[in-house]
Amino acid sequence: MRHALLPADVVAYNAAVCACEKGGAWETALDLFEEMQHSGVEPDLITHTALVSACVRSQKWQQALLVHEQLQQSLAGHQQTATSYLEALKACSQGCQWRRALYLLEEMRAWGQPPDETLYSE
């Protein structure tokens, strides 16, 4: 992105990160995230959810949970979506992290976003 003619914004970075997610290029997605931060573009919930998903799709559950934790810290009191939790729960499933999954479900309830059948069916 740094060689583009126009400076990239959050939408352009999100599109690139989502493309990496779909293509299984989790390391490139993380590189884009780092580049995004260095260039002063503020990542949003879409960025973080796509990063977690990219790691999950590539069977990198530990990295996915790390990114999810970073999301928690960077949101500073703002609520995540069910989709972001779903991706973190998929990572827990991959890593047989059942205690962590239970913690995430409780966290969702605490945010006032009780898990629905979508979360339990994945």
Side-chain angles (χ1 to χ4, degrees), residues 77-114:
H78 297 288
Q79 188 174 1
Q80 292 190 55
T81 64
T83 304
S84 63
Y85 276 102
L86 175 59
E87 293 303 321
L89 288 166
K90 286 179 185 177
C92 290
S93 177
Q94 285 178 355
C96 300
Q97 301 293 308
W98 62 270
R99 284 187 179 104
R100 179 69 183 270
L102 291 175
Y103 174 80
L104 289 173
L105 291 171
E106 277 304 310
E107 194 174 86
M108 286 183 73
R109 286 185 188 98
W111 278 105
Q113 189 172 41

